[in-house]
Amino acid sequence: MPLIQNTYGKGQVRVLRVRRDTARHEVRELSVRTMLQGDFAASYTAGDNHAVVATDSIKNITNIVARENLTASAELFGAALASRFLERYPQVARVTVEMQETVWRRASVGGVPHHHSFVLDSNGKPFAAVSGTREATTTISGINGFTFMKTTQSGWVEYVKDEYTTLPETTDRIAATAMDAHWSWRAPVEDYTISNALVLSTMLDVFASTYSRSVQDSLYRMGEAALAAVPELATISLACPNKHYLPINLSPFGLSSDNMVFTPTDEPHGQIECVVGRVN
C-alpha cells in the first residue's frame, strides 16, 4: 500500500518571551505547533529514522528562536522558526507553524502603566499560521473566540416561514457572538500587531454602528470594511456562533421584560460563516 501523505512535528510548545533590557519590560506568550513535511516516508514504511528530526529537537529549536526574537509578532516569529528548519535540514520541504497567543496587558498602578506588571486579556486568543517552503511563504493571522455583543439595532425578519417555523420576527434583539476570524495576507506589513488591531477595530466599528439585518448581513459588511481598511489583506474568513439571549416571560408576575431581562444560552446556536476576498 502506498503512503499517500505524511507530516509530523511538535505541538503545545508553550513559551513566554520577556524583553527586559530596560526597566519597562515587554512580554509575549505563545503556544506553538510546528509540523514538518519532506523526505520522511522511510520512517513510516521501512522503520528508517535517519532523516527524522526528533520532535524534542523541534521543541528546542522553538525555544532558541524565541530567545533570538523576544519581541517579534507571532507572524514574524513563525517565519523565523520556519526559516530555521528550511535552512538547517535539506530533507525538510515545508514547515507549517501555528501559534495561539495569550495576551498580557500592562497593569496600571495609581493610574500609571506599570513597568513589569501585567493582567491577562481574557477576550479571544490571537492566532497566526505561517507555512513556508524554499520558494514561498504564506501567512494567516486572526483571533479565536473573540466575544462581543450589542443590545439593540439588530433584527431578524422576512425569513422562510412554513410548517416548521416557530420563531417570531423581531426588529429589536440582542446580537452577540464569540467570533473566530482568520485573514490571509497578499503582502507583508510593517507591523502585524498594529495591522491586526486595525482589522479587528474596523470590524467592531461596523458591528456597533450599523443596523444588523442578520448575522450574515453584519459579517459580510465587517469583512468588506476590513479589506478596505487594510490593503495588504487578501481574504478574511469569519465564523460566528449566534449567542442567544432569550427574553424571560414575566407575565405570570404581572411584569413585562421589555427587552431588559434575558436568559443567556449558546446551546443550540446558529453557526454563520463566510469568506470575503478581493477579486484580484
Side-chain angles (χ1 to χ4, degrees), residues 156 159-169:
W156 179 237
Y159 44 87
V160 171
K161 299 180 185 66
D162 56 20
E163 66 272 26
Y164 303 111
T165 306
T166 58
L167 186 70
E169 290 189 347

Side-chain angles (χ1 to χ4, degrees), residues 188-222:
V189 293
E190 183 175 347
D191 190 318
Y192 282 98
T193 300
I194 292 175
S195 294
N196 288 337
L198 178 57
V199 171
L200 197 57
S201 65
T202 298
M203 290 194 294
L204 288 178
D205 285 350
V206 171
F207 175 80
S209 63
T210 63
Y211 185 84
S212 175
R213 297 176 181 86
S214 63
V215 177
Q216 291 91 328
D217 169 54
S218 288
L219 284 196
Y220 174 75
R221 291 185 292 104
M222 289 162 64

Side-chain angles (χ1 to χ4, degrees), residues 53 61 81-92 95 134:
V53 182
I61 293 170
L81 185 56
S83 293
R84 180 63 55 88
F85 286 101
L86 292 167
E87 293 166 0
R88 178 63 180 83
Y89 302 107
Q91 68 271 37
V92 174
V95 183
R134 290 174 180 82

Side-chain angles (χ1 to χ4, degrees), residues 186 227 231-235 277-280:
R186 61 177 182 170
L227 289 166
E232 295 86 357
L233 290 185
T235 63
R278 302 184 189 279
V279 175
N280 49 38

Side-chain angles (χ1 to χ4, degrees), residues 55-211:
T55 65
D56 189 66
S57 300
I58 296 174
K59 176 204 68 178
N60 293 339
I61 293 170
T62 302
N63 292 334
I64 291 166
V65 173
R67 178 62 181 86
E68 296 170 348
N69 297 269
L70 291 175
T71 60
S73 66
E75 291 85 356
L76 295 180
F77 175 83
L81 185 56
S83 293
R84 180 63 55 88
F85 286 101
L86 292 167
E87 293 166 0
R88 178 63 180 83
Y89 302 107
Q91 68 271 37
V92 174
R94 177 182 293 276
V95 183
T96 300
V97 184
E98 296 180 348
M99 296 148 288
Q100 194 83 57
E101 184 162 8
T102 297
V103 178
W104 293 94
R105 302 292 184 193
R106 192 172 300 280
S108 292
V109 177
V112 178
H114 197 269
H115 281 348
H116 55 261
S117 294
F118 301 85
V119 294
L120 184 66
D121 183 343
S122 59
N123 191 10
K125 292 276 191 177
F127 170 90
V130 177
S131 183
T133 67
R134 290 174 180 82
E135 290 74 38
T137 298
T138 59
T139 302
I140 296 173
S141 305
I143 192 164
N144 293 327
F146 188 76
T147 303
F148 51 93
M149 69 180 293
K150 61 180 178 181
T151 54
T152 190
Q153 290 297 300
S154 173
W156 179 237
V157 299
E158 297 179 349
Y159 44 87
V160 171
K161 299 180 185 66
D162 56 20
E163 66 272 26
Y164 303 111
T165 306
T166 58
L167 186 70
E169 290 189 347
T170 179
T171 57
D172 187 6
R173 65 174 182 170
I174 289 176
T177 188
M179 178 178 71
D180 290 347
H182 297 167
W183 45 91
S184 63
W185 301 91
R186 61 177 182 170
V189 293
E190 183 175 347
D191 190 318
Y192 282 98
T193 300
I194 292 175
S195 294
N196 288 337
L198 178 57
V199 171
L200 197 57
S201 65
T202 298
M203 290 194 294
L204 288 178
D205 285 350
V206 171
F207 175 80
S209 63
T210 63
Y211 185 84

